[in-house]
Amino acid sequence: TRTSVSLTATGGGTYLWSNGATTATTTVTTPNTYSVTVTGTNGCSSIASTTVTQNITPPSATASNNGPLTCTRTSVTLTATGGGTYLWSNGATTATTTVTTPNTYSVTVTGTNGCTATASTTVTENITPPNAAASNNGPLTCTRTSVTLTATGGGTYAWSNGANTSTTTVTTVGTYSVTVTGSNGCTDVASTVVTEDI
């Protein structure tokens, strides 16, 4: 952000800078060693010099997130590093910010020297429900007094009879439903009807 530097000489009389300036102060825009000849009212002169350095190294910007978004993780934290100040594409001005929609988010990191660097991170979304299915090996008969209900679809299972395994045994007719929860927290429901032939 500082693209020019003021050089200042003291000592009185007249001044002659190596860049041609003849005032006590002069402005330069390039790094270099600048000298000034100061001539006193008695005609004697002295030379002094100053070195202008340059720091235009951009910050080392990085951006990451703890996604993906799922049925149970409805917000994701974006994190930037690199020091200085931060400006996210969603308007946030902190190193971390929370988002709730899938997208590619960029951050501009400004270092203490005013130089900038940009990084981005992509938030994905996994809200695909499991493919739940339920079946049974009925019907109940005079010799088959219990029936096994079987669910598929992965993840965890919650049957309407309270069981939480992929298979459960029942002894009465009825419609039994199962809620299947995938690893992404999304759910799907399936049901099976147990009949009776006695």
Side-chain angles (χ1 to χ4, degrees):
T1 56
R2 182 188 291 131
T3 57
S4 64
V5 170
S6 291
L7 310 178
T8 303
T10 60
T14 61
Y15 304 92
L16 177 60
W17 287 93
S18 54
N19 70 343
T22 57
T23 53
T25 62
T26 183
T27 300
V28 295
T29 58
T30 56
N32 207 340
T33 297
Y34 296 89
S35 62
V36 60
T37 301
V38 181
T39 303
T41 55
N42 60 0
C44 297
S45 62
S46 180
I47 297 175
S49 64
T50 184
T51 300
V52 176
T53 60
Q54 185 178 53
N55 178 0
I56 56 171
T57 303
S60 180
T62 66
S64 60
N65 71 81
N66 67 336
L69 293 162
T70 66
C71 291
T72 53
R73 182 190 290 129
T74 56
S75 66
V76 166
T77 299
L78 310 179
T79 302
T81 63
T85 61
Y86 303 92
L87 178 59
W88 287 93
S89 53
N90 70 343
T93 57
T94 51
T96 61
T97 183
T98 301
V99 296
T100 57
T101 55
N103 207 339
T104 297
Y105 297 88
S106 62
V107 61
T108 299
V109 180
T110 303
T112 55
N113 61 357
C115 298
T116 62
T118 302
S120 63
T121 182
T122 300
V123 175
T124 59
E125 185 175 57
N126 178 0
I127 57 171
T128 303
N131 187 16
S135 62
N136 70 80
N137 66 339
L140 292 164
T141 66
C142 293
T143 55
R144 182 187 293 129
T145 58
S146 65
V147 167
T148 299
L149 310 179
T150 302
T152 59
T156 61
Y157 303 91
W159 285 96
S160 54
N161 69 342
N164 57 12
T165 53
S166 61
T167 61
T168 183
T169 301
V170 296
T171 57
T172 56
V173 297
T175 299
Y176 295 88
S177 63
V178 61
T179 300
V180 179
T181 303
S183 57
N184 61 358
C186 300
T187 61
D188 191 20
V189 178
S191 62
T192 183
V193 178
V194 174
T195 60
E196 185 177 58
D197 179 6
I198 55 174

